[in-house]
Amino acid sequence: MGEDMDGKAISTSGKRRMAHYEKQLKAAFVRSAPPGRHTDGGGLYLYVSESGARRWVLRIMVREKRRDFGLGSAMVVSLADAREIAREYRVIAAKGGDPSKKVHQSRKKTMSFEVAAMEYHKFNIKTSSRNGKHTDQWLMTLRNYAFPKIGDMSVDEIVTQDVIAVLQPIWLEKHETARRVLQRMKVVFDWAHVQGFRSAANPVEAVRAALPRKKVKVKNFAAISWDRTPDLMRELEKVPGIGALALRFTILTVLRSGAVRKATWSQFSEGFERWIIPAENMKADEQHEVPLPYAARQLLKGLHADKPENTDLVFFSPRTQSKMISENTMAKVLKRFYPDATVHGMRSAYRDWAEIFSGASHEVKEAVLAHSNPNKVESAYLRTKYLDEREDLMEVWGMWATGEGGTYQSLLNKYRIERTMPVD
């Protein structure tokens, strides 16, 4: 038994037979099919999402590799048309060609918004985002608010009024969510235009003019007062567990918790004087060098002395040493003492302290926080020229945060004297 170029089965005797389909669908069933995947045979499937949106997918072998091809929305592409397109694709594949290079303009015009969003998410969000939670939420917002209204519509036919219909019910009550939906719809339409699925201008461009203005009050991360930091650090020393240690280290280095959670022993210099954070662990996607204060070095030395051999992680999960601690581990410890505070807010506590207490320049204070600078030349200058100044500032911050009294200058002088003393 074999197949001819049209994908139809033929017997070894040469007699042509009709292609075998496991279960052919009916047009009425296509319109009412429940959520799930329904086969029409020959690799053609009807996918029905939880929102009710339905699309065609063809799964065939192309050059000895299994490939999936979206054939459009089932609300636009009929069962008969889907079968015809599938047949054309099978012929191309049987001849050794690639159906993706032969997509007809008629098919391009029928790509639904949901399919376009899924394609954009698959090739742009999943491959570029390191945040799994963000990756899931990106598509979830569209699934909850956009797909029920415009998911089945062709991306080439959606107009501004359709986008407004999606946003209007949530624009005031859930403004931040609506803003994200708006931004995500925009990039989907931009992608559809570049890919040739949409010829008209982006329908999102004029939306804001038709929606009421919303004054959004910026909500900063909750932070404790800078002068309470030494008391908090003393309390944290009494708390057992990796969460308290990680939180103390985060406060001493004033970095984002993600970089701390991903820290490995290989990132630190031999004496723990320097911490080189790789670009992929930084928000700005740039490598960052951190001069570690004495208190942070001592904390690392204690951890390193007892580190297990089966993991390179500094702050690993007690349950699974091969995994880093969760983003809530430090937050739970902090909330024992300050229920409304956030770990990220400790960066604000440092910044307030530096503004009031220290004599460092604005540039040095910001460089310690690893804030991105749009000026690339100046940004590189901050990372190199101010390394010594950052070391001084972080050392004094560490001394002050761990309870050593005195002015900024007196603590700085003490540190410089100790640094120049010979080591036995």
Side-chain angles (χ1 to χ4, degrees):
M1 186 72 69
E3 287 185 353
D4 66 4
M5 290 190 300
D6 288 340
K8 296 178 180 179
I10 56 174
S11 66
T12 53
S13 62
K15 183 178 180 180
R16 182 180 297 274
R17 298 180 59 184
M18 294 296 292
H20 174 70
Y21 291 100
E22 298 94 330
K23 179 183 177 183
Q24 285 194 312
L25 302 177
K26 303 294 183 182
F29 179 78
V30 171
R31 293 190 293 270
S32 61
R37 186 181 73 171
H38 309 280
T39 179
D40 186 59
L44 180 61
Y45 296 93
L46 171 69
Y47 281 78
V48 183
S49 69
E50 293 295 333
S51 68
R54 49 206 68 221
R55 59 193 176 96
W56 298 109
V57 174
L58 176 65
R59 172 170 291 187
I60 56 176
M61 297 296 290
V62 178
R63 297 172 182 172
E64 299 184 352
K65 291 184 179 180
R66 180 177 289 178
R67 295 276 299 278
D68 287 356
F69 296 93
L71 306 185
S73 167
M75 304 303 289
V76 180
V77 180
S78 68
L79 174 59
D81 289 341
R83 285 172 176 166
E84 178 59 26
I85 297 172
R87 188 194 70 80
E88 293 177 7
Y89 280 24
R90 292 191 197 99
V91 171
I92 294 171
K95 292 179 179 179
D98 186 348
S100 64
K101 301 182 183 298
K102 303 289 184 179
V103 178
H104 300 293
Q105 290 297 322
S106 59
R107 180 250 165 175
K108 288 187 175 184
K109 292 180 182 178
T110 60
M111 174 173 269
S112 70
F113 177 81
E114 180 174 350
V115 173
M118 298 283 282
E119 290 291 302
Y120 180 86
H121 178 262
K122 178 180 178 181
F123 293 106
N124 293 276
I125 302 301
K126 277 190 172 183
T127 57
S128 63
S129 177
R130 297 189 297 270
N131 187 330
K133 184 177 180 181
H134 166 74
T135 301
D136 295 338
Q137 288 180 340
W138 195 96
L139 196 59
M140 185 62 68
T141 53
L142 295 180
R143 183 175 289 119
N144 290 342
Y145 301 103
F147 292 174
K149 293 183 180 293
I150 63 172
D152 288 331
M153 297 178 66
S154 169
V155 288
D156 198 42
E157 298 174 349
I158 296 172
V159 296
T160 300
Q161 288 73 17
D162 299 317
V163 177
I164 292 173
V166 172
L167 297 171
Q168 210 161 31
I170 59 173
W171 187 251
L172 294 178
E173 293 183 4
K174 301 178 180 179
H175 184 74
E176 182 59 25
T177 299
R179 186 190 65 77
R180 291 175 181 171
V181 173
L182 176 65
Q183 188 274 333
R184 289 162 190 176
M185 285 195 294
K186 181 181 184 302
V187 296
V188 172
F189 286 120
D190 284 342
W191 175 87
H193 177 73
V194 172
Q195 296 293 328
F197 296 108
R198 181 178 174 86
S199 56
N202 195 314
V204 168
E205 299 298 340
V207 164
R208 290 184 182 275
L211 294 169
R213 296 189 65 180
K214 171 74 174 180
K215 291 184 178 180
V216 181
K217 184 178 180 181
V218 177
K219 184 178 180 181
N220 296 318
F221 290 97
I224 71 171
S225 174
W226 62 273
D227 55 351
R228 295 182 180 180
T229 304
D231 293 333
L232 172 62
M233 290 291 282
R234 279 191 288 269
E235 292 297 327
L236 290 176
E237 290 180 8
K238 305 174 187 177
V239 179
I242 198 70
L245 289 167
L247 180 56
R248 286 166 56 196
F249 186 77
T250 302
I251 293 172
L252 290 168
T253 57
V254 296
L255 287 172
R256 294 178 176 87
S257 61
V260 174
R261 292 165 50 230
K262 297 173 185 176
T264 59
W265 292 112
S266 57
Q267 295 170 9
F268 296 93
S269 63
E270 184 176 354
F272 303 115
E273 290 86 3
R274 291 288 186 271
W275 178 19
I276 307 298
I277 307 176
E280 60 267 24
N281 291 2
M282 295 296 296
K283 182 179 180 181
D285 284 325
E286 294 181 355
Q287 180 178 289
H288 184 60
E289 182 174 357
V290 183
L292 295 174
Y294 174 79
R297 298 198 301 271
Q298 292 302 107
L299 189 151
L300 288 176
K301 288 177 181 178
L303 282 170
H304 189 264
D306 298 325
K307 80 179 188 70
E309 297 181 356
N310 62 341
T311 182
D312 191 38
L313 286 168
V314 178
F315 302 103
F316 53 83
S317 169
R319 295 180 180 179
T320 308
Q321 293 179 347
S322 61
K323 293 184 178 180
M324 62 184 176
I325 58 174
S326 74
E327 58 186 339
N328 292 322
T329 302
M330 287 185 273
K332 290 179 181 178
V333 176
L334 180 59
K335 290 184 183 299
R336 294 185 192 181
F337 306 98
Y338 296 95
D340 297 328
T342 63
V343 176
H344 193 92
M346 295 307 305
R347 287 162 57 84
S348 297
Y350 149 79
R351 192 61 181 84
D352 291 341
W353 168 87
E355 195 65 33
I356 298 169
F357 194 76
S358 82
S361 68
H362 172 80
E363 291 80 7
V364 173
K365 297 168 187 173
E366 289 295 292
V368 167
L369 291 170
H371 279 163
S372 59
N373 191 318
N375 187 319
K376 298 300 181 183
V377 175
E378 186 177 319
S379 178
Y381 183 74
L382 289 177
R383 292 197 304 272
T384 55
K385 176 64 177 177
Y386 292 126
L387 187 59
D388 290 339
E389 289 87 341
R390 285 195 285 132
E391 179 178 324
D392 287 345
L393 179 56
M394 293 201 69
E395 197 65 60
V396 176
W397 163 252
M399 296 169 73
W400 185 87
T402 52
E404 289 198 44
T407 65
Y408 177 81
Q409 193 59 49
S410 67
L411 291 174
L412 180 59
N413 290 338
K414 180 180 179 182
Y415 159 63
R416 287 174 174 171
I417 293 172
E418 292 175 347
R419 185 170 58 178
T420 58
M421 291 178 65
V423 179
D424 294 333

